[in-house]
Amino acid sequence: MQGFTYIDLIILIVYLGAVLFAGLRFSKKEMKGKEYFRGDGSIPWWVTSVSIFATLLSPISFLSLAGNSYAGTWIMWFAQLGMLIAIPFTIKYFLPIYSKLDIDTAYQYLEIRYKSKGLRVLGAIMFIIYQIGRMSIIMYLPCMVLSELMGISVDILIIIMGVIAIIYSYTGGLKSVLWTDFIQGSVLLIGVTFGLFFLISKINGGLGAINYELFINNKFLAPDQPIFDANIFRDSVFLLIVGAGINTIGSYVSSQDIVQRFTTTNDSKQLRKMMITNGLLSIFIATVFYLIGSGLYTFYQVQGNPLPPSAQQDQIFASWIAYELPVGFTGILLAAIYAASQSTLSTGLNSVASSWALDIQSNISKKELTFDQQTKIGQRVSLIVGIFAIVVSIVLAHSGVKSAYEWFNGFMGLVLGILVGIFILGAFTKSANKFGATIAFIVAALVMVYIKYFVDPAAVSFWSYSIISIAVSLVVGIIASKLYDKSKGVETIPPVNSTIYNQTRS
């Protein structure tokens, strides 16, 4: 057990330098306004596809997916199959709407559909709060793990990660972020896949030994884990697939960091290829992580190899990387963990900057902002939010109250689940109006907060939250909209291309 060596540290430093150089290289062309927030039209679809993949795969997932299968079964893997619902749904219904409306941000759709700047600003504020919390946690958690393995101060790791992401997010806008995401996503894919093959080579019996644990000793699914439960709000494989699919629809439809990638092109064929490739990559890497977790269980628990230091559930993969891989390869794999963090962080900074400048500042400003002004506002917001997230991460690192992170992360997870309801309401109904959408949002938020904090989790699974939220939004939104129209003696007519019913032919 050699642990993290100076050679690994050099490799990690070289990697970070290469990422910074790449980010600055792609930011050489001065970009303003829409180019800063949407790119210059030169970004290939496959780069954007890997960027979406890297954005959705947070370092928390990197550390926990292998830990889940190591400590339990593959039950959570079925959540990845939700992509098979989310991707066709988004391609068929929302990408045509966003493409034809030529939106700059996700929340511009709310303004167009409901003729309400207030709903646009509300959506942007919720997203920004969610994203700042997410960025802080995403910097803190992996840096804590890496700090224990590398013997480097967690504060230094957080500052380095944040500063590098701020530099290329500030200077180059979306184009720089997409290309660096592509590099980091590629490092992650290659590094983790190599890790799986190396682990298999170290297990007596190789893949056959892992399969034996999976299917003979019930490490794939336990006998008490149901495929389907008549109470659809309780955990089952069926609910995991459907619930995760609708959660992912929420990210694709109402989260600016993902929708921003869709704005890089209006070519429907490229958008479809982008989405399908992202889905395949996500299912592939999740399967690799779960195989690694089962492999680690076989390696340590079945075949009796000595456990490394700091071998708790969510740190088992990182600990194996540090103490079992050859010198040099450890640095590459830990760079992959760092890559997952930085790609999510840089995406968060750019999406918050674009949402603030285009959704909020442009709407509250008395004068129309020029492209120069929008760009400068976006850069300042990227810098300020980046520094703020670094400070919050350092505070979290020294607070020592893990349950606070879990509580906060769970609360933030409600945000997009509630928000997506008014997107679905707008796209799938003709009668919805500003009044109905506002009432639907308020009622859905109250219902979901009550379920989250006052209902037994065994009775209502987390995976049903988005299903309930969308159902409440539709029922309340339709009724409230019709009552409002009736009281005013008017009829709501949605703008062209803003619903699935009034699409013009391309």
Side-chain angles (χ1 to χ4, degrees), residues 239-288:
L239 179 61
L240 274 173
I241 296 172
V242 175
I246 295 177
N247 286 345
T248 305
I249 287 171
S251 294
Y252 285 152
V253 166
S254 62
S255 185
Q256 170 62 8
D257 51 354
I258 305 300
V259 175
Q260 191 176 19
R261 272 99 181 113
F262 301 154
T263 67
T264 59
T265 179
N266 284 328
D267 187 321
S268 58
K269 290 183 179 179
Q270 288 197 6
L271 286 169
R272 283 195 294 271
K273 287 190 288 187
M274 187 190 303
M275 291 290 289
I276 292 169
T277 303
N278 160 62
L280 292 173
L281 289 175
S282 298
I283 293 173
F284 167 76
I285 202 66
T287 304
V288 170

Side-chain angles (χ1 to χ4, degrees), residues 155-351:
D155 295 350
I156 292 174
L157 290 174
I158 289 172
I159 291 169
I160 291 172
M161 179 185 295
V163 168
I164 291 176
I166 289 171
I167 289 172
Y168 62 76
S169 299
Y170 180 95
T171 55
L174 185 61
K175 181 177 181 180
S176 180
V177 169
L178 290 177
W179 275 104
T180 49
D181 276 1
F182 174 76
I183 294 169
Q184 309 212 71
S186 299
V187 169
L188 190 154
L189 283 164
I190 295 169
V192 173
T193 304
F194 164 78
L196 173 62
F197 284 113
F198 186 84
L199 174 60
I200 290 173
S201 72
K202 293 296 180 179
I203 294 173
N204 295 331
L207 190 59
I210 297 175
N211 286 334
Y212 182 86
E213 298 304 321
L214 285 176
F215 301 109
I216 305 300
N217 288 340
N218 298 317
K219 285 291 287 181
F220 183 71
L221 269 183
D224 62 344
Q225 291 174 328
I227 303 297
F228 178 81
D229 193 311
N231 180 349
I232 62 170
F233 298 124
R234 285 204 298 251
D235 280 328
S236 67
V237 170
F238 172 80
L239 179 61
L240 274 173
I241 296 172
V242 175
I246 295 177
N247 286 345
T248 305
I249 287 171
S251 294
Y252 285 152
V253 166
S254 62
S255 185
Q256 170 62 8
D257 51 354
I258 305 300
V259 175
Q260 191 176 19
R261 272 99 181 113
F262 301 154
T263 67
T264 59
T265 179
N266 284 328
D267 187 321
S268 58
K269 290 183 179 179
Q270 288 197 6
L271 286 169
R272 283 195 294 271
K273 287 190 288 187
M274 187 190 303
M275 291 290 289
I276 292 169
T277 303
N278 160 62
L280 292 173
L281 289 175
S282 298
I283 293 173
F284 167 76
I285 202 66
T287 304
V288 170
F289 278 129
Y290 274 88
L291 279 171
I292 286 172
S294 296
L296 292 173
Y297 175 83
T298 305
F299 183 75
Y300 288 122
Q301 301 298 332
V302 177
Q303 299 188 354
N305 290 289
L307 283 167
S310 303
Q312 295 94 337
Q313 177 179 326
D314 285 347
Q315 297 182 17
I316 189 67
F317 184 32
S319 298
W320 177 82
I321 289 171
Y323 291 98
E324 297 294 341
L325 283 178
V327 173
F329 289 103
T330 296
I332 294 172
L333 264 292
L334 292 181
I337 295 178
Y338 218 75
S341 305
Q342 275 201 316
S343 62
T344 307
L345 177 59
S346 61
T347 292
L349 289 175
N350 189 263
S351 60

Side-chain angles (χ1 to χ4, degrees), residues 7 68 73 139 173 176 191 217 230 252 270 283 324 432 461 470 472 492:
I7 295 175
N68 281 341
T73 69
M139 277 195 286
S176 180
N217 288 340
Y252 285 152
Q270 288 197 6
I283 293 173
E324 297 294 341
S461 168
I470 291 172
V472 170
T492 296

Side-chain angles (χ1 to χ4, degrees), residues 475-487:
V475 172
V476 173
I478 291 171
I479 294 172
S481 295
K482 289 186 175 181
L483 288 176
Y484 180 85
D485 281 358
K486 187 175 182 179
S487 69

